[in-house]
Amino acid sequence: MAASTSVVFRRQQALLRTLFWVFKPFALFTRRIDWVVGPEDIALMATHIAEALPNSYTAIHARNPFYSVEYDAVIQTTSTALGGRLATWRRLYGGPILLAWLVNRARGFIYVGGGAFLEGHHDEREFEFAFIRRHGRRLVCYFTGNDIRSPRLSQQRAEETGRPNIGSILATIDPIFAAPEYDLARRARAQVAERHAEAIFNARNDQLSYLEGHTHPFLYFYPDEQFVDSTVKFDAPERIVVVHAPSNPLLKGTDAVREVMARITQSHPHVEYRELIGVPHEQVLAALDDAHVALNEFYASVPGVFGVEAMARRCVLVTSARASDEPDLGEDADEAWVIADVHTLHDALLTVLAHPEEMAAQAARGHAWAMANASASASARALALALAPATEPAR
């Protein structure tokens, strides 16, 4: 298998080099693109980044089944009309073909996640990044989690703090994350990114990595129009609705959430617990509109995307994120939500439920923090500032 994939990688390289020059004269007659964003759309990050940047272009390997969004280019397809062989050919060689065309048209590339247009796992994108930079194009890396997180460094941090984190949990639930080869690959990926990228976005401690230089804070880009102003659900509710919607139950502390909520709903009959897994995004948002309390994740140092959605929808957010772990959150972050770990969740949630009259005010603080720090408008301003040096002409 390794030999066959290396043959494919060499073919991809040759195809990219050749087609770059074949496409070059045709690209002279097409519209120039400022930023290509892709090739993964993790939690809609590529979509939101592209929306924040005028004259951008989304180029994605495959659609996210949980989101109904349009992209400028999708490499893989689920259409059966193409036939199995053509679909396989498109999956293997559509990436280098598209990249050859885009390098001729675009001024810069923003890579979201750890993916590549070629089979980048062979060299952690060294060839691909070097090719882009050699032709004078801008390059930015936007890391989103396990694409850069080091389980070994995370385990060391867990031992120092006495609290488990996402990276340390990963190493216990799947042997692949504890393997030295996995950690070496993350080290190589960090080195390649720092060698070629002009700007790197990363949650420094939550996504603890081998990146050594300056990084920009992770930005959320939550749409401004999705922020809810109404507080009517806090007007003397007969039932308190608590929602948990984990994308990965093992990493979000869902076992602890279930145990805590079983105890609380038994002793507090007016509390209703709703858990959503693998449902359409619209259903999650509808649940947040009804919810008073949202349980996010309990091994993380920053709020997850669900946590930001919860604050935007005026829920009291309970999560393990804290400014002492991730200073980029800002000093006011700890007031925006209720801090709890898997071992303190029960008591923290009981305190929230004991003071229903304070829920609206707590939700308002979260709403204000999310608007100032995680909204699309705020993130767009921060992104433009961070990318300003990378928009200057190449040396």
Side-chain angles (χ1 to χ4, degrees):
M1 180 63 71
S4 62
T5 55
S6 63
V7 169
V8 169
F9 186 48
R10 290 197 296 271
R11 290 174 179 171
Q12 290 177 333
Q13 291 175 315
L15 194 61
L16 176 61
R17 292 192 190 99
T18 301
L19 290 183
F20 171 80
W21 296 108
V22 172
F23 291 154
K24 194 172 185 62
F26 299 98
L28 295 174
F29 302 98
T30 59
R31 177 180 63 88
R32 295 287 286 176
I33 299 165
D34 286 336
W35 292 103
V36 172
V37 188
E40 297 177 302
D41 197 16
I42 302 169
L44 287 181
M45 287 308 303
T47 295
H48 293 328
I49 291 172
E51 290 173 346
L53 296 172
N55 198 29
S56 60
Y57 185 100
T58 49
I60 304 296
H61 258 296
R63 296 185 184 278
N64 189 319
F66 293 105
Y67 299 102
S68 299
V69 296
E70 294 298 322
Y71 303 110
D72 294 299
V74 179
I75 297 170
Q76 298 183 38
T77 179
T78 57
S79 173
T80 57
L82 287 176
R85 180 171 296 184
L86 185 55
T88 299
W89 186 90
R90 180 168 173 168
R91 174 177 58 84
L92 294 176
Y93 301 110
I97 294 172
L98 179 60
L99 183 60
W101 175 245
L102 292 175
V103 172
N104 275 295
R105 295 182 59 195
R107 296 182 173 89
F109 290 77
I110 299 177
Y111 276 73
V112 178
F117 288 92
L118 280 63
E119 291 192 348
H121 62 274
H122 286 283
D123 63 352
E124 296 303 330
R125 306 186 289 192
E126 171 65 36
F127 172 83
E128 191 165 322
F129 284 4
F131 183 89
I132 290 171
R133 298 294 286 130
R134 185 163 61 251
H135 290 287
R137 305 303 186 255
R138 310 267 64 90
L139 182 65
V140 173
C141 287
Y142 201 105
F143 291 111
T144 62
N146 291 334
D147 46 25
I148 195 65
R149 183 183 286 116
S150 162
R152 188 178 74 84
L153 296 180
S154 299
Q155 182 62 45
Q156 291 177 357
R157 181 174 179 82
E159 293 171 357
E160 294 169 358
T161 62
R163 287 184 283 108
N165 55 58
I166 292 177
S168 67
I169 295 295
L170 276 172
T172 65
I173 63 176
D174 191 334
I176 191 173
F177 294 108
E181 295 80 8
Y182 181 91
D183 205 69
L184 286 173
R186 292 303 175 272
R187 182 191 293 270
R189 181 171 295 176
Q191 292 172 342
V192 169
E194 293 197 309
R195 187 154 52 243
H196 297 290
E198 296 168 87
I200 297 175
F201 291 80
N202 186 47
R204 285 183 292 172
N205 291 322
D206 187 74
Q207 299 170 186
L208 193 60
S209 70
Y210 290 103
L211 294 168
E212 298 179 351
H214 172 71
T215 60
H216 298 279
F218 183 90
L219 303 172
Y220 291 91
F221 296 95
Y222 195 68
D224 290 43
E225 62 272 16
Q226 294 291 336
F227 280 76
V228 173
D229 292 329
S230 174
T231 62
V232 66
K233 63 184 177 182
F234 291 106
D235 295 345
E238 295 182 1
R239 297 181 64 81
I240 301 296
V241 178
V242 180
V243 170
H244 180 53
S247 56
N248 186 322
L250 290 173
L251 297 183
K252 308 302 182 182
T254 301
D255 285 347
V257 169
R258 290 169 178 167
E259 188 273 331
V260 165
M261 290 311 304
R263 294 165 59 190
I264 287 180
T265 52
Q266 185 174 14
S267 60
H268 295 71
H270 69 292
V271 175
E272 177 184 347
Y273 174 58
R274 300 178 187 175
E275 182 176 298
L276 298 92
I277 298 179
V279 302
H281 188 233
E282 292 75 13
Q283 190 172 334
V284 174
L285 296 182
L288 288 174
D289 285 336
D290 292 337
H292 303 89
V293 180
L295 308 181
N296 186 204
E297 50 187 307
F298 298 96
Y299 298 121
S301 299
V302 298
V305 173
F306 173 72
V308 171
E309 290 175 333
M311 288 187 285
R313 298 273 167 165
R314 286 193 181 268
C315 296
V316 174
L317 178 64
V318 184
T319 185
S320 57
R322 63 196 78 197
S324 59
D325 280 355
E326 196 69 65
D328 286 339
L329 291 174
E331 294 181 357
D332 59 337
D334 288 349
E335 302 299 321
W337 50 77
V338 177
I339 299 174
D341 301 310
V342 289
H343 302 300
T344 62
L345 175 58
H346 181 267
D347 291 344
L349 194 50
L350 280 183
T351 301
V352 171
L353 296 173
H355 302 282
E357 73 283 356
E358 297 179 5
M359 286 185 182
Q362 177 61 57
R365 289 193 291 271
H367 186 276
W369 184 92
M371 177 60 78
N373 297 276
S375 64
S377 55
S379 298
R381 290 191 294 270
L383 180 67
L385 186 62
L387 293 185
T391 59
E392 299 172 357
R395 292 189 296 273

